[in-house]
Amino acid sequence: MLHRLSRHRGRATIVVLLGIVGTVLVLVLPAVARHFTDVVIGERRPDLVLPTALVGLAAIAARQSLLALRSLTAQSLESRLVHELRIEMFDRLQRQPVRWFDRNRSGEIMSRVSTDVPNVQKLLTETLDIALPALLQFVVVLAAMFWQDWRLALVTIAPLPVIALVTWRHSKVAEPQWRESGEATAELHALLHDSLSGIRQIKAYTGEPEALDRFTDASQTTRSKYMRVMRGQSLIWPGVSILAEAGIIAMVAFGSWRVLQEQMDAGVLFYFLFAWGFLFEPISKINPLSQTLNRGTASAKRVAEILDRPPEDNLTEGARPETLRGEVRFEHVSFSYDPDSPAVTDISLEAKPGETIALVGPTGAGKSTLLHLIARFYEPDSGRILLDGRPLPELSKEWLRDRIGYVTQESFLFNASLRDNLRLARAGASDAEILDALEAANALGFVEELPDGLETFAGERGTRFSGGERQRLSIARALLRNPPILLLDEATSALDNRTEKLVQQALERLRSDRTSFVIAHRLSTIEAADRILVLKDGQLVQSGTHAELIGQEGLYRNLHRGGGFQSSASSS
Ligand code: ADP
């Protein structure tokens, strides 16, 4: 954070300077008290009552104005820092490899942005706004006390080492406790996120009581972790107060004794009585502050875990060839998500530019995995994939993904306008281009009927649209990108005949002239493919055209006979 702070040196300097001046003005009040005692009363000068009081008032007004200005500047500085931090987090998050997202739950990640970043903000706010000025005030007042009477000052601060030791020991225990409390909160967020995403399943299976139980357990854990920290917090403060207040008694006793011995003016004792408030004011802030400090440090560590993660490698660096024919070759590729269960084993295949390759096989056979490997969401464990004869790791991922159209089965739409959803494929595409793409995807009809047209919001995950509409919208998205390579996971859900025809037609347009890998569920797609690859348990068991494969004994014929493919609308 200090490094980040240094980018805003100007503002930070203003904050510190205003703080220093405001703090030094603190010393005017004890001095006024001493002046009243020693001069106004001691020398019997009624004419000085008003001027001395006015000096005190002016100092109070000036101090508070400066502090207000300082606080305002500090707030603006902090909000800026936190804004930058949030953006940096988001950017860092979305540059993590897909594998990282497999391993971390979204709710947990969200909690780092939604809970931990504000905690860090509080840490900053209170350090800048409270701790630094408090520390400064403490040092200044202490120095003034020593200058007035060093013996009395020593007695006054006698409890301080003990206070420091106690709070230091306490923070050693509290910080890990705060960390655990933060983790429990993240857990709770993860559960909430999970339950909300699966709300339809929960309702359909009347799983509300079980979901509530799970949430109650997680909430209870969060509560007990929190209470554990708070118990410590509530005990430490009375302890510190007892020590601090014992100090004031010692100070008055020793001070009175020195005045009686005529070693010190009574004014000095008054000076100390006033100054004591200012000396211990910072310490009274230690309690809430140590809490924010410990919690903030724990959160800052969780934030740093994200910020320190290197982004997905090879994202921007790597070759960016001028042209791409679209020839894809797999050479003995094996890959597993988890070390002991291979997803695909020893796959070799070749797709010539413009060919359509249909991938068929039972679920879990590894079809989607092949698409993920082409898009480099994951890297093969062994073997290699070549594009136009160049191994993928030589190419920049950004360049590669710019040239891939990926149409997934669920046809995900973001809760943004249709225009923005389509522009994901090509930033800055004009409305005319978008409408062209919609037309080619047979989606223009229903989009034109929407009262808000391209401005229509898609709803969360695109729920505003029907399955068939979403499919065509995501086909339009791919068409807009006009990629040389197409990865297509054909939807399994059955559509009515008319919609089915519209979608099929759109897909044909999309596939033409591109190297296409299609996870095919429909007979019409399979029959139209240049080559069919049959996968089973991660292995390539058959390949050929429909006519060839249907003539052979094997999985393909079994799938075909057993109704493993949906017959398309045109042939039904
Ligand atoms: P298909 O697309 O043919 O249904 P997949 O390629 O999705 O098959 O899956 C192949 C195997 O890899 C399956 O056993 C599946 O459980 C596993 N798998 C798929 N995705 C992941 C993942 N993100 N993490 C762990 N295992 C996965």
Side-chain angles (χ1 to χ4, degrees):
M1 289 319 292
L2 280 179
H3 170 67
R4 275 157 227 278
L5 200 59
S6 71
R7 281 187 232 147
H8 301 279
R9 263 180 232 108
R11 256 168 225 270
T13 316
I14 294 179
V15 172
V16 172
L17 284 182
L18 287 173
I20 293 179
V21 180
T23 306
V24 171
L25 284 175
V26 145
L27 295 178
V28 177
L29 283 188
V32 165
R34 182 180 176 176
H35 194 74
F36 267 117
T37 326
D38 290 349
V39 182
V40 181
I41 301 175
E43 297 174 13
R44 311 216 157 260
R45 296 280 304 273
D47 58 310
L48 285 183
V49 170
L50 195 61
T52 314
L54 283 179
V55 169
L57 280 178
I60 292 174
R63 172 162 183 255
Q64 292 306 331
S65 319
L66 288 179
L67 290 187
L69 196 61
R70 193 192 60 91
S71 178
L72 205 64
T73 322
Q75 298 285 352
S76 121
L77 176 61
E78 288 144 25
S79 64
R80 203 170 285 238
L81 279 173
V82 169
H83 169 66
E84 289 173 1
L85 190 64
R86 259 196 310 254
I87 292 178
E88 204 173 318
M89 279 242 345
F90 184 80
D91 193 44
R92 197 43 76 104
L93 279 175
Q94 60 172 357
R95 283 170 195 279
Q96 292 306 310
V98 175
R99 208 179 252 286
W100 188 78
F101 290 96
D102 286 345
R103 293 199 185 122
N104 292 277
R105 288 162 307 158
S106 328
E108 210 272 341
I109 302 173
M110 279 162 68
S111 164
R112 297 196 190 219
V113 183
S114 64
T115 315
D116 290 324
V117 170
N119 284 347
V120 175
Q121 166 165 25
K122 268 211 206 104
L123 171 71
L124 271 182
T125 315
E126 311 221 331
T127 337
L128 278 175
D129 256 17
I130 302 178
L132 282 184
L135 192 68
L136 193 66
Q137 177 169 325
F138 183 80
V139 171
V140 168
V141 173
L142 191 62
M145 281 179 152
F146 269 92
W147 190 60
Q148 292 282 331
D149 189 288
W150 66 268
R151 290 180 186 87
L152 190 53
L154 271 184
V155 171
T156 310
I157 60 158
L160 276 185
V162 188
I163 294 180
L165 188 72
V166 170
T167 30
W168 177 73
R169 294 282 310 199
H170 172 72
S171 74
K172 285 271 158 229
V173 184
E175 205 228 276
Q177 288 181 345
W178 272 120
R179 186 167 172 92
E180 278 181 35
S181 164
E183 279 161 6
T185 312
E187 196 71 29
L188 195 65
H189 276 228
L191 192 61
L192 180 63
H193 179 76
D194 217 35
S195 310
L196 292 182
S197 322
I199 192 67
R200 285 166 192 78
Q201 274 67 27
I202 293 182
K203 281 189 184 299
Y205 291 99
T206 54
E208 288 95 342
E210 289 77 11
L212 183 61
D213 281 351
R214 273 197 302 275
F215 194 79
T216 309
D217 282 351
S219 177
Q220 178 58 36
T221 312
T222 312
R223 190 183 97 89
S224 51
K225 301 249 173 201
Y226 182 74
M227 273 316 294
R228 196 169 62 144
V229 206
M230 289 324 280
R231 269 196 293 277
Q233 296 290 343
S234 347
L235 288 182
I236 177 113
W237 181 234
V240 167
S241 296
I242 291 174
L243 290 169
E245 283 161 23
I248 195 173
I249 302 288
M251 178 187 90
V252 175
F254 183 65
S256 313
W257 183 77
R258 274 177 67 75
V259 174
L260 289 177
Q261 300 288 311
E262 295 189 348
Q263 290 168 349
M264 193 177 89
D265 288 339
V268 177
L269 185 56
F270 275 92
Y271 186 100
F272 267 73
L273 276 172
F274 262 82
W276 189 88
F278 291 115
L279 183 73
F280 277 84
E281 184 190 45
I283 294 183
S284 74
K285 288 176 181 159
I286 280 183
N287 183 43
L289 189 69
S290 74
Q291 182 176 326
T292 336
L293 224 59
N294 293 328
R295 184 210 295 235
T297 322
S299 279
K301 282 185 185 159
R302 286 165 52 79
V303 167
E305 272 169 14
I306 303 279
L307 292 182
D308 290 346
R309 285 198 64 80
E312 189 173 9
D313 53 323
N314 211 204
L315 204 53
T316 46
E317 67 274 23
R320 299 166 165 266
E322 290 277 305
T323 55
L324 176 64
R325 290 178 293 119
E327 181 201 83
V328 178
R329 204 161 72 227
F330 277 58
E331 290 177 352
H332 306 288
V333 171
S334 297
F335 169 76
S336 58
Y337 293 95
D338 305 310
D340 26 277
S341 60
V344 291
T345 318
D346 195 25
I347 302 281
S348 295
L349 62 90
E350 192 181 345
K352 298 208 176 63
E355 272 189 339
T356 295
I357 307 288
L359 303 170
V360 302
T363 43
K367 305 181 293 292
S368 318
T369 304
L370 291 187
L371 302 195
H372 293 161
L373 290 172
I374 297 173
R376 281 187 81 192
F377 290 162
Y378 305 92
E379 306 290 338
D381 300 329
S382 63
R384 51 183 199 160
I385 304 171
L386 303 117
L387 184 60
D388 283 7
R390 294 187 79 157
L392 288 189
E394 279 183 15
L395 306 165
S396 132
K397 278 185 189 159
E398 213 171 58
W399 177 89
L400 172 73
R401 291 174 187 165
D402 268 346
R403 277 146 192 83
I404 288 178
Y406 189 18
V407 181
T408 55
Q409 213 186 88
E410 54 177 329
S411 308
F412 191 95
L413 296 175
F414 294 92
N415 189 16
S417 70
L418 276 186
R419 182 184 287 110
D420 288 342
N421 261 295
L422 285 152
R423 277 191 183 156
L424 179 66
R426 184 139 58 88
S430 71
D431 278 3
E433 291 167 320
I434 291 177
L435 293 175
D436 280 350
L438 285 171
E439 184 167 18
N442 284 339
L444 195 57
F446 72 86
V447 171
E448 275 179 340
E449 277 170 25
L450 297 167
D452 296 329
L454 288 179
E455 291 297 328
T456 311
F457 264 62
E460 203 172 354
R461 306 177 80 87
T463 39
R464 165 82 179 68
F465 297 100
S466 74
E469 288 170 344
R470 278 209 299 276
Q471 284 174 23
R472 281 173 283 161
L473 287 172
S474 61
I475 292 170
R477 181 143 79 183
L479 279 165
L480 190 62
R481 166 154 272 185
N482 194 15
I485 297 172
L486 180 69
L487 308 178
L488 173 65
D489 193 348
E490 204 174 46
T492 44
S493 54
L495 300 170
D496 65 82
N497 285 1
R498 203 184 80 84
T499 318
E500 175 71 50
K501 259 192 201 132
L502 292 174
V503 170
Q504 286 300 332
Q505 220 178 36
L507 283 177
E508 268 159 42
R509 281 187 204 132
L510 181 60
R511 282 200 307 267
S512 65
D513 304 328
R514 311 173 204 279
T515 312
S516 309
F517 287 85
V518 187
I519 298 180
H521 303 290
R522 296 197 162 76
L523 195 54
S524 58
T525 318
I526 300 170
E527 284 172 346
D530 295 295
R531 200 137 18 94
I532 303 161
L533 304 178
V534 187
L535 289 153
K536 181 169 183 276
D537 297 334
Q539 302 197 349
L540 190 57
V541 290
Q542 282 180 294
S543 82
T545 61
H546 175 70
E548 285 164 13
L549 292 177
I550 205 77
Q552 297 173 5
E553 273 298 321
L555 181 60
Y556 185 79
R557 200 150 80 176
N558 295 344
L559 283 171
H560 185 251
R561 283 213 186 120
F565 308 127
Q566 294 167 17
S567 47
S568 68
S570 49
S571 57
S572 66

